[in-house]
């Protein structure tokens, strides 16, 4: 289990490094480099628009790779998704700017971001299921949480490289070529991830389905016909987690540097420190889920998010590093209370024959609702003087919607005698 968890964590970290480095670049430099004919705010909005395309592609990726995972195994998904995301990320670092090739530059950026999202849409399902389906029942939450540590690690890697480049290069050097370095590094990381995953075995549950002929012939059709309500509820429930995380990691970075005049390095340090704490807290929170249930932690995380959004925006608007860090940390602790347990919770809600498709589609559809729209909506709502209370109101509303969705989902931990076979909610 330790080897499986490590391989899942490292691979997920690499894939999210690829995904997050784009978000950081979008907040810092992509606007003026690829949309120079627009105002700074409009350029940032357009850069976040290309950022959002990655989220739109993720559900499609979960359909494509979910079909592979349910028909041919969880293991092939982990290889194919890593190759696709790594290649697309390296290519982003090679795209000429608008000044060199005109409108073709943002078009290429859009296409590559779509491919990034396509690959990441398959990664989560493969990594989580490979760990969850090998894990002992009473520690499934703990072991399945390690792929969930991957996103914070990937974020820290992406922003750590950006921070190092930002601190050591002049602004002109950073805009000319420095921002491209993390994208090029993705190729080396992807190769290392493939090497680490090469020795992993297929899950026992898939091997059993393969031997007995119980695999779904058309996983997506079966999910859409029998489990559509479950998919929509999980997407709505998880939307707040994406909204909170990308408010902190992407929109706040742009807002702090452009509107508050806080240094790029200061903002990155504040955000990275808060993300590091959320990563450390993930396994202990998952252990609480094993002991007390997945659903109570999810309900608590949603409620805490709803309560904390206005204080977070107030602390951010001060522009003081210590207070901003406090605001970010509170928000991400609420976020991770939910997301630490969903890697076990979502698979437990679906039958093994459609689990890779169903769980991944619900998880990545939430990314569209919460992650893709939030930086764009927040940027639009933060126009004008004074604290952007509209952003806080928007995030609070998302948290309340997610709270309602979690309230309609069942608990899975008390059903341990039935393993992960049960489908508590169907359409």
């Amino acid at each position: 289990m330790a080897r499986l968890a490590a391989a899942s964590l490292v691979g997920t970290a690499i894939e999210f490094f690829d995904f997050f480095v784009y978000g950081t670049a979008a907040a810092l430099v992509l606007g003026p480099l690829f949309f120079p004919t627009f105002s700074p705010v409009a350029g940032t909005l357009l850069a976040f628009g290309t950022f959002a395309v990655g989220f739109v592609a993720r559900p499609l990726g979960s359909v494509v790779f979910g079909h592979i995972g349910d028909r041919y195994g969880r293991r092939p998904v982990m290889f194919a998704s890593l190759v696709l995301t790594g290649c697309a990320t390296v290519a982003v670092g090679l795209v000429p700017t608008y000044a060199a090739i005109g409108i073709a530059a943002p078009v290429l950026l859009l296409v590559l971001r779509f491919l990034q999202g396509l690959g990441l849409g398959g990664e989560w399902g493969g990594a989580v299921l490979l760990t969850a389906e090998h894990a002992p029942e009473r520690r499934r939450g703990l072991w399945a949480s390690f792929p969930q540590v991957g996103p914070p690690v990937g974020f820290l890697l992406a922003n750590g490289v950006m921070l190092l480049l930002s601190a050591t290069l002049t602004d002109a050097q950073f805009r000319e070529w420095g921002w491209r370095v993390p994208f090029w590094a993705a190729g080396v990381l992807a190769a290392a991830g493939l090497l680490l995953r090469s020795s992993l075995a297929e899950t026992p549950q898939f091997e059993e389905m393969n031997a007995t002929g119980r695999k779904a012939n058309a996983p997506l059709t079966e999910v859409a016909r029998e489990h559509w309500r479950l998919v929509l509820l999980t997407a709505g429930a998880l939307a707040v987690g994406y909204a909170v995380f990308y408010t902190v990691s992407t929109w706040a970075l742009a807002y702090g540097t452009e509107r508050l005049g806080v240094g790029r390095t200061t903002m990155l340090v504040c955000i990275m420190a808060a993300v590091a704490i959320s990563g450390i807290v993930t396994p202990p929170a998952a252990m609480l889920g094993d002991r007390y249930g997945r659903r109570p932690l999810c309900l608590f995380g949603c409620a805490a998010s709803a309560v904390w959004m206005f204080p977070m925006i107030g602390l951010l608007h001060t522009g003081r590093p210590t207070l901003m860090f406090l605001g970010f940390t509170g928000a991400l602790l609420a976020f991770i209370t939910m997301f630490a347990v969903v890697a076990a919770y979502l698979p437990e809600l679906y039958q093994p024959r459609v689990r890779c498709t169903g769980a991944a589609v619900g998880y990545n559809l939430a990314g569209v609702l919460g992650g893709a729209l939030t930086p764009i909506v927040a940027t639009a709502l933060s126009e004008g003087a004074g604290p952007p209370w509209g952003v806080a109101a928007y995030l609070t509303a998302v948290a309340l919607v997610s709270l309602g969705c979690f309230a309609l989902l069942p608990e899975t931990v008390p059903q341990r005698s039935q393993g992960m076979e049960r489908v508590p909610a169907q359409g």
Side-chain angles (χ1 to χ4, degrees):
M1 283 309 308
R3 184 168 57 86
L4 282 167
S8 295
L9 189 158
V10 171
T12 307
I14 291 168
E15 293 242 25
F16 276 90
F17 168 88
D18 298 351
F19 202 71
F20 288 142
V21 78
Y22 190 101
T24 305
L28 296 177
V29 297
L30 294 188
L33 291 178
F34 288 87
F35 304 98
T37 59
F38 295 86
S39 68
V41 172
T44 300
L45 278 170
L46 289 169
F48 281 151
T50 62
F51 174 74
V53 167
F55 286 97
V56 175
R58 283 174 64 170
L60 180 59
S62 65
V63 169
V64 174
F65 288 103
H67 180 87
I68 295 172
D70 286 325
R71 289 291 299 159
Y72 305 105
R74 322 314 192 190
R75 191 171 177 268
V77 172
M78 298 180 70
F79 287 91
S81 60
L82 189 56
V83 170
L84 177 58
T85 308
C87 290
T89 305
V90 172
V92 169
L94 301 174
V95 176
T97 62
Y98 186 94
I101 60 173
I103 192 65
V107 170
L108 285 172
L109 207 61
L110 201 69
V111 171
L112 292 171
R113 179 60 176 174
F114 183 85
L115 294 176
Q116 261 194 333
L118 205 66
L120 192 63
E123 164 65 22
W124 185 85
V128 164
L129 291 190
L130 199 73
T131 308
E133 291 185 347
H134 274 101
E137 192 173 288
R138 292 184 177 275
R139 289 290 180 267
R140 183 176 295 131
L142 172 62
W143 289 113
S145 73
F146 282 92
Q148 295 296 80
V149 179
V153 172
F155 180 86
L156 292 174
L157 285 173
N159 285 273
V161 174
M162 284 290 192
L163 179 62
L164 178 63
L165 293 167
S166 178
T168 56
L169 300 177
T170 65
D171 191 62
Q173 289 173 325
F174 184 79
R175 288 176 177 269
E176 183 178 353
W177 58 268
W179 68 272
R180 298 180 183 273
V181 173
F183 292 92
W184 299 336
V188 178
L189 293 176
L194 289 172
L195 182 63
L196 182 62
R197 289 181 166 183
S198 61
S199 61
L200 297 181
E202 187 53 77
T203 71
Q205 287 188 346
F206 182 82
E207 293 285 10
E208 181 185 351
M209 286 192 302
N210 195 37
T212 58
R214 292 190 292 113
K215 296 185 297 183
N217 293 322
L220 179 62
T221 301
E222 191 169 324
V223 167
R225 184 178 62 246
E226 299 180 13
H227 313 308
W228 60 271
R229 181 176 179 270
L230 182 57
V231 170
L232 293 180
L233 282 176
T234 53
L238 297 178
V240 64
Y242 281 97
V244 168
F245 186 86
Y246 286 100
T247 294
V248 171
S249 65
T250 303
W251 170 77
L253 179 59
Y255 182 81
T257 54
E258 295 174 5
R259 296 291 302 281
L260 301 180
V262 180
R264 187 166 55 211
T265 300
T266 300
M267 287 301 303
L268 284 172
V269 168
C270 290
I271 294 170
M272 288 171 62
V275 171
I277 291 174
S278 72
I280 293 169
V281 169
T282 299
M287 292 174 69
L288 290 176
D290 279 331
R291 184 174 179 84
Y292 299 108
R294 327 290 188 209
R295 187 168 169 268
L297 267 72
C298 293
L299 292 171
F300 177 82
C302 283
S305 297
V307 169
W308 189 248
M309 291 304 98
F310 277 90
M312 184 194 74
I313 292 299
L315 292 168
L316 167 64
H317 192 70
T318 66
R320 298 173 60 181
T322 303
L323 295 181
M324 290 192 297
F325 164 71
L326 176 62
F328 297 154
T329 301
L332 292 183
L333 287 177
F335 149 78
I336 209 61
T337 302
M338 296 173 278
F339 271 56
V341 299
V342 297
Y345 193 22
L346 263 64
E348 288 170 342
L349 289 169
Y350 291 89
Q351 294 172 338
R353 57 189 281 116
V354 295
R355 183 174 291 151
C356 197
T357 300
V361 169
Y363 185 86
N364 287 296
L365 189 58
V368 178
L369 301 175
L373 297 178
T374 295
I376 298 171
V377 172
T379 300
L381 291 176
S382 58
E383 286 293 293
W389 298 124
V391 177
Y394 167 75
L395 293 172
T396 302
V398 175
L400 293 175
V401 170
S402 293
L403 184 65
C405 291
F406 271 123
L408 294 173
L409 287 171
E411 180 56 77
T412 56
V413 168
Q415 312 300 329
R416 282 175 173 168
S417 61
Q418 300 179 41
M420 292 166 62
E421 296 289 331
R422 182 173 176 270
V423 186
Q426 298 185 3

